[in-house]
Amino acid sequence: MARECTITRNKDVKIKDRIRVLLLNGLSDPARKVRTSADYWNYEGFALSTTAQSDWPDDCPNLLKSLIELLSGTSSDSVDGAMRVFAEFIKSEISEEQLLPILRELLPVLMGILGSPDKHSALTRSRVLSVFNQCVQVLWMVKDQYPDPVKEAIDVILPEWLNALKILLDLDPAQDVAATDNWDGVALRVQIFKVIERVTYCFPRAISQGLRVFYSSAVFHLEKLLPTHQTYFIAADGPTPPGSSDDSSETTLLPQLGMAILDFIKSAVRTKAMKEWVLADEKEGGNQVIAPLLSLAIAWAQMTAEDENEWASDPNAFLADDIDEESVTLRNVAFDVVVAIEEISPEGTATIFQGVLSRVVQESNNSRVNGNSAWWKLLEAGLAAAGSLEEDEFDARPVLADVIPPLLNLGGELPFIQGRGFVFASEFADFLPSNLFSQYLQAVIAALENSSVSMPVKVSAVKALQNFAGKSEAKDVVMPLAPRICSDLTPFLLSATEDALTLVTDSLLAVIEIGDSQWLTPELTAPLVTSLMEVWVKNVKDPILLSVLTDVFVAIARCPVPGVYQAIVTIALPSLASAITQATQDQSWIVTSAIDLATSIMRGAPKGHLGEGFFNLLGPALFGCLLNTEDRDVIQNGIECLTLVIRKGCDQLLGFVMPQTGESGLTLLLKLVSSLLTPSTSESEAGGLFVGDMLVHLLKNAGKASELQPVIPDLITALVRRMETAKTATFTQ
C-alpha cells in the first residue's frame, strides 16, 4: 500500500478490519520500534490511534476491550504497546460518558501494572499514571451528573491508589538520577506528583488525611534532588543529563519533576488543612514549614544555563518568562508557591521571607568567595521572588542599602543580576529617600545610554524606568529627567519587537503621564510621534501594543504645552487618514486601528480645541470609509470617532465640505445615519447600536444650527419607524 494512503481513506471495511488486527498484533511485537511506529500509513501519531480517530466507536466498537485484554496479559511487550496507545487515545478521543463505564474494569488492570516494577518498565508505569490522571479528571467533571458512582470511586478507588503512590514515593529518588543510561524513573515520579496534584485540586477531602505525608515527601524530593539539578542545569559547564529510554534527547525530565512537585505544593497549601498548618507554623516562627519552603522555592527558581544562553540574545524570551503570568515554567511555578504562601498570611510571610533572603545573600556571598561562577543565580532568584510579594508588607530597606548598590556596579560581567538589581530597586523605590531614589534612577538612565551595556541590562533598565515612573516620588525626581528619558527610549521603539516593544511603549507612557505631560515640548514630540507612527505601521495587527499606543496618543495630546498637540496632529493625522483611504475592503483591521488612533488624539484634546483643520484632514477619509462599509468594527469605531468630533469640535463638522462631492459634513452625517437605520442594510441593527449616543450629542451641540433644524422632524420620523422593526431591546434603547 502506498505510504500516502491512510486508513481513513480506505472504503473497504474488510481490509480495514484486517489492518486493525495487524496493528493490534504489532503492539505485542518484541521490537520496541515496531510497537511505537507511527510510520505505517501516516506521518503523525500512533498508527492504531489514528484508525481510532476516524473509526471508533462505530466501525471498531471492540477497540477498548481489545486494549484492556492486552493490558491484562502477561506479556510485558503487549502491555507496553497497549499502554502507549491508550495513553494517547484517552487524551482526546474518549468522552466522559465513554470512559466512566469501563473504569471498574480498567483501573484494577492499571493498578496491577503499576505495582509490578519487575515486569513493566518505569515508562510503561508512568503511562499508567497518565491515564489514571485523566480518569480522576473525568470523575471530577461528571461528579454532579453522576454523584453516586463518583462518590463510590472516591471512597473505594482513590485510597488504594494514594496508598500505592505513597509506597512509590518512599523509594529514594537519588537512585533514579544516579542512572547513567536513562532517567525513566524520574519520568515516573513526574506522573506521580501530577496525579497527587490532580487529586488535591479536584478532591481535596479525599486526600486531606494523607496530605501532610505527601507534602513532606514533596519537600524531601526537592531537597534531595536539588544538588543534581544544580549540577546538570544551573551550572554553566554542567554535563548533559540523560534522557528517557524512548527519547535520549528528552533531557528536561528533572525540571519537569521540579515543576510537578511545586505545582502540587501550590495546590496543597491552598487547602484548608494546609492553611491551618501554615498559620500554626507562622505563630511558631515559620521554621518548620514556611521558611524551608520559601528557601526551596528560591533555589529551584534559579536561572538555568539554558535560560541564561537564550535570554542573553532574545529579549522577548527573557520578558516572556519575566512578565508573562501565564507562562508555565519551573521558575514561575516556584514564584507561584511564594505567592500561595503569602496569600495565607501576607505580613507573617513577608517577615519570614526577610530572614530567608538574608540567608540567601550570605550563601551567595560565600559561594562567590569560593570561586563559584554561578554565585549570583541564587541571589537573583531571591530578589525576583521578593518582587512577587506585596510591597507594603516586605521591608526592603536593608537590601536596598546593603545588597543592591554593589550589584549595579558589576559592569557587563553579570548582566542578569545587575538588571535584577535595577528592577528590585524600582519595585521597592517607595522605601528610598529622595537622594537614593535619584541615584538609582540616574544609574538606570546611564545603563540605557551606555552602548556597551548588554541587552538583558537594558531590558531590565526599561522595566525599572516604568516602575520608577509609577512611584510617589516620580513627579519630584523623575519629571526633571523625563525629557532625557524620553530621548533615550524613543530609539528603542524602532529596534524592539513583540514583548520588548510593548515594554518600551508602556515605559514611555508611564514617563509621559508624569506631571500631566507638562515637561513635553514640540521638539521632543516630533521625533517621538514619528517613531510611534512607524511602530503602528509595522504592528497594526498587534491588539496589545495598539491598546498601549492609543493611551500614549491620549497622553501626548493632553499635554498643555503650546505646540505639542499641534505637533501630534500634524505628524500623525495625515498618515492615519491616508491609511484609512488606501486600505482595501479585506484590510478592515487597518481602518479600525487608524480610526482608533485618531480618536485617541481627540480624547486628549480640550473641548473646542481640536486644532485648526483637524476634521478637514480626517473627514474625507472617514466619511468615504463609513459610507461604503458594512464591517461592524469599522462602523463602531467610526461612529465613536464622529461622536467625539461632535463633542469637541462640532463647528468643524458643520463647516466641513467633502472635496469630491461638495456635500456638507452634516449632510454626510445624516446620510450615514439613514444608512445605519435602514432595515434592509446588511447588519443594520449592529451598526445602528452606536448611533444613539452620537445623535444625542449632535442635538446637544448643534441642535440650534440652521443646517440641522430643517431635518430634525425627518430624523425623528426615521428613528420612530426604525424602532417599529427593531429586533432587540438594546437597539431600541
Side-chain angles (χ1 to χ4, degrees), residues 30-47:
R32 183 174 62 85
K33 288 186 177 181
V34 174
R35 297 197 303 272
T36 62
S37 176
D39 253 349
Y40 294 124
W41 291 280
N42 64 86
Y43 296 102
E44 299 177 355
F46 295 99

Side-chain angles (χ1 to χ4, degrees), residues 466-592:
Q466 181 183 1
N467 292 335
F468 276 127
K471 300 302 180 182
S472 57
E473 296 274 351
K475 187 173 182 180
D476 296 328
V477 181
V478 182
M479 187 171 167
L481 297 168
R484 179 180 169 189
I485 295 171
C486 182
S487 297
D488 290 338
L489 289 176
T490 298
F492 287 105
L493 289 170
L494 303 181
S495 59
T497 60
E498 300 177 17
D499 288 336
L501 179 57
T502 301
L503 174 63
V504 173
T505 312
D506 270 326
S507 299
L508 267 170
L509 174 62
V511 174
I512 291 170
E513 289 180 331
I514 296 174
D516 296 325
S517 315
Q518 295 182 38
W519 55 269
L520 263 179
T521 65
E523 292 75 21
L524 282 170
T525 303
L528 174 59
V529 174
T530 300
S531 297
L532 290 171
M533 287 303 299
E534 189 170 335
V535 166
W536 173 71
V537 170
K538 292 179 179 178
N539 301 273
V540 70
K541 285 188 175 183
D542 186 339
I544 297 175
L545 179 62
L546 291 176
S547 69
V548 183
L549 279 178
T550 56
D551 291 340
V552 172
F553 272 49
V554 171
I556 296 174
R558 190 173 286 152
C559 176
V561 177
V564 170
Y565 175 77
Q566 196 58 42
I568 189 173
V569 171
T570 302
I571 296 170
L573 204 57
S575 297
L576 295 173
S578 177
I580 295 171
T581 302
Q582 295 178 11
T584 59
Q585 286 290 336
D586 59 349
Q587 292 178 320
S588 60
W589 68 88
I590 296 178
V591 178
T592 303

Side-chain angles (χ1 to χ4, degrees), residues 77 146 239 262 490 529 591 637 667:
D77 293 333
Y146 304 104
L262 290 167
T490 298
V529 174
V591 178
N637 280 27
T667 298

Side-chain angles (χ1 to χ4, degrees), residues 405-475:
L407 301 180
L408 306 186
N409 298 317
L410 288 172
E413 299 176 7
L414 300 170
F416 290 105
I417 188 62
Q418 184 182 13
R420 180 57 60 187
F422 285 140
V423 174
F424 182 92
S426 67
E427 288 172 330
F428 297 96
D430 283 336
F431 286 100
L432 293 168
S434 295
N435 62 322
L436 284 181
F437 190 113
S438 180
Q439 289 178 24
Y440 276 120
L441 181 60
Q442 291 279 5
V444 169
I445 296 173
L448 276 182
E449 295 174 346
N450 188 340
S451 59
S452 64
V453 168
S454 64
M455 182 280 300
V457 176
K458 287 189 181 292
V459 170
S460 299
V462 174
K463 188 176 181 183
L465 281 176
Q466 181 183 1
N467 292 335
F468 276 127
K471 300 302 180 182
S472 57
E473 296 274 351
K475 187 173 182 180

